[in-house]
Amino acid sequence: MTRLTSRTATCVLAALLDTSSWAAGGGGGGGGSDGDNPFRQSGEYKQALDAIQAGRYAQAIPLLERWVAANSRDADGFNWLGYAYRKTGKLDPAFKAYQRALGLDPQHKGAHEYIGEAYLMANQPDKAEQHAKILAGLCPQSCEELTDLRSAIARHRGGTQPTARAP
């Protein structure tokens, strides 16, 4: 029988207690659990989220670029990067970041919502609808991400569509 060291046991326990990794859909920008990861509670990641919270999206971009360069498997980081790019009107890098987030976590609800909103900004409502359908499958009892995306699609189809700001 293998004997666990206290460090190994602590790491295993921490992994088991990290319920954010159990939740289908990940977090980040729509019911996210970014605060659960102790590495995200300080430093550039936290600064980036603080900047986003304050509406300083351009300030968040270089912080998040550095974060995802060092944490290339972090779907939440890529989702927030896409969000910051989208909010500054830079749709091409936003789409790339969202697609990377979804490549890492195909059930990431926040990324599905936000890429759908980016498609609306690009006047591609059918693609936004595809992501709403995926969200409907991920949260059949509905969820905030699905409700928000459906509302954005309805506004878009009604003629009041979100627009990209000039960079």
Side-chain angles (χ1 to χ4, degrees):
M1 182 147 124
T2 305
R3 199 158 171 226
L4 294 177
T5 66
S6 63
R7 183 175 193 307
T8 303
T10 302
C11 290
V12 169
L13 182 60
L16 291 173
L17 292 175
D18 181 12
T19 57
S20 68
S21 65
W22 298 355
S33 56
D34 291 311
D36 295 343
N37 183 331
F39 296 110
R40 296 179 180 168
Q41 294 176 1
S42 63
E44 289 188 327
Y45 190 87
K46 183 179 183 318
Q47 291 172 17
L49 294 188
D50 290 346
I52 286 171
Q53 181 99 21
R56 297 187 313 267
Y57 307 110
Q59 179 184 345
I61 291 171
L63 299 169
L64 288 165
E65 286 282 358
R66 285 191 295 274
W67 174 264
V68 298
N71 299 276
S72 63
R73 309 257 335 131
D74 184 7
D76 290 337
F78 280 101
N79 182 49
W80 282 120
L81 178 60
Y83 182 89
Y85 272 127
R86 178 172 59 90
K87 289 296 195 171
T88 60
K90 298 176 181 176
L91 293 182
D92 287 339
F95 282 121
K96 288 178 186 172
Y98 290 136
Q99 288 164 350
R100 178 74 170 131
L102 290 170
L104 291 167
D105 181 359
Q107 297 181 347
H108 195 291
K109 291 183 260 183
H112 281 294
E113 174 190 350
Y114 291 156
I115 196 171
E117 291 175 4
Y119 279 124
L120 294 176
M121 289 174 70
N123 201 27
Q124 298 179 36
D126 292 341
K127 289 186 178 182
E129 287 280 0
Q130 291 173 356
H131 287 277
K133 287 178 184 173
I134 293 168
L135 279 169
L138 293 174
C139 41
Q141 300 297 329
S142 195
C143 57
E144 181 181 352
E145 296 85 357
L146 177 58
T147 301
D148 290 350
L149 181 54
R150 283 183 172 161
S151 294
I153 291 168
R155 284 191 307 275
H156 180 86
R157 294 202 187 276
T160 55
Q161 55 189 319
T163 56
R165 290 193 339 232

